Amino acid sequence: MPQLTLVVASKNYSSWSLRPYLALCHSGQPFQEVVIPLDTPGTQDLILQHSPSGRVPALRHGELVIWDSLAICEYLAETFPEARLWPESREARAVARSVTAEMHSSFSRLREHMGMNLRARKPGQGRAPGVAEDIARIQALWNDCRSRFGQGGPFLFGRFSIADAFYTPVATRFVTYDVTLDPVSAAYRDTLLSQPAFQKWAEAGLHEPPVAKYED
């Protein structure tokens, strides 16, 4: 089996990189990791050495390169089916893909005003117009998935899936900005943040040097 290499950005800030990292950890496959610090004079040149889009994350598997977080996760699900990265039932799998795609393409106000920053604590900040609506929608998704499909475990669809990987960065934002959640959402947030793979990622991120443009 060719070597897997995951290229990610600074762990304290990169929500896009965290998602495939969690999925890859859950697959159980060994992999190498390349971390590229954000906002340095050489950042873009370093990224271009690994990713044709000029963005990370990127996954190299032998000579193949995949350069989008959702595409990486889909590739892992196909390549390592024993990891069961999507739910087994067709209905649950369809909903899981829907909520994952919504996270991938939506919630722009939350992304803009509540950026991922594992070190920071910013209670009361980030409450721009549209953010509350994004938070309400996310909680509605979480509650719906947990009630319909979550009986087999603590994740959205019981077992860990790609959907959980995609919502873990959101859980970190809810802590950073001290967002009050309903009981189901709060319990799910805590489940996401207690994952050993996330804890390992966060520990590394907390020891990275701060990047000024992401600290405001």
Side-chain angles (χ1 to χ4, degrees):
M1 179 68 70
Q3 173 68 50
L4 289 157
T5 301
L6 183 66
V7 185
V8 301
S10 298
K11 293 186 172 183
N12 190 59
Y13 309 106
S14 184
S15 60
W16 298 96
S17 297
L18 173 57
R19 298 164 182 170
Y21 172 87
L22 293 173
L24 187 49
C25 287
H26 185 78
S27 77
Q29 298 298 315
F31 65 96
Q32 293 181 345
E33 191 177 30
V34 176
V35 181
I36 298 178
L38 291 169
D39 202 38
T40 73
T43 294
Q44 193 59 33
D45 287 341
L46 285 172
I47 291 174
L48 285 169
Q49 292 176 22
H50 301 279
S51 172
S53 69
R55 297 181 179 183
V56 289
L59 178 72
R60 181 178 293 278
H61 193 197
E63 297 301 313
L64 176 65
V65 178
I66 308 103
W67 59 88
D68 171 85
S69 59
L70 183 52
I72 292 169
C73 290
E74 288 280 15
Y75 178 75
L76 294 173
E78 291 180 358
T79 307
F80 307 109
E82 66 279 3
R84 298 165 64 187
L85 290 172
W86 288 120
E88 292 183 350
S89 82
R90 184 173 63 178
E91 179 184 359
R93 192 164 60 250
V95 175
R97 282 195 162 107
S98 294
V99 300
T100 300
E102 186 169 354
M103 183 69 253
H104 197 49
S105 62
S106 303
F107 309 121
S108 60
R109 303 303 287 172
L110 178 76
R111 297 178 196 276
E112 180 181 357
H113 298 286
M114 291 186 172
M116 180 168 143
N117 187 331
L118 301 178
R119 275 191 300 267
R121 293 297 180 266
K122 302 180 180 183
Q125 297 184 40
R127 270 64 171 183
V131 173
E133 289 79 1
D134 281 355
I135 293 170
R137 173 59 182 159
I138 290 168
Q139 290 188 89
L141 285 172
W142 289 1
N143 275 264
D144 180 61
C145 292
R146 288 292 299 140
S147 66
R148 292 169 62 193
F149 305 106
Q151 292 79 13
F155 295 101
L156 287 182
F157 298 85
R159 289 172 49 88
F160 177 89
S161 73
I162 290 169
D164 303 299
F166 267 66
Y167 281 96
T168 300
V170 177
T172 75
R173 290 172 160 101
F174 288 164
V175 172
T176 297
Y177 294 89
D178 193 25
V179 175
T180 300
L181 303 175
D182 65 70
V184 170
S185 297
Y188 175 59
R189 172 204 62 204
D190 294 345
T191 292
L192 294 178
L193 299 183
S194 67
Q195 297 173 82
F198 171 74
Q199 291 289 318
K200 183 177 180 181
W201 172 283
E203 180 66 20
L206 292 174
H207 289 90
E208 292 173 344
V211 178
K213 69 180 289 185
Y214 297 104
E215 291 293 324
D216 295 336

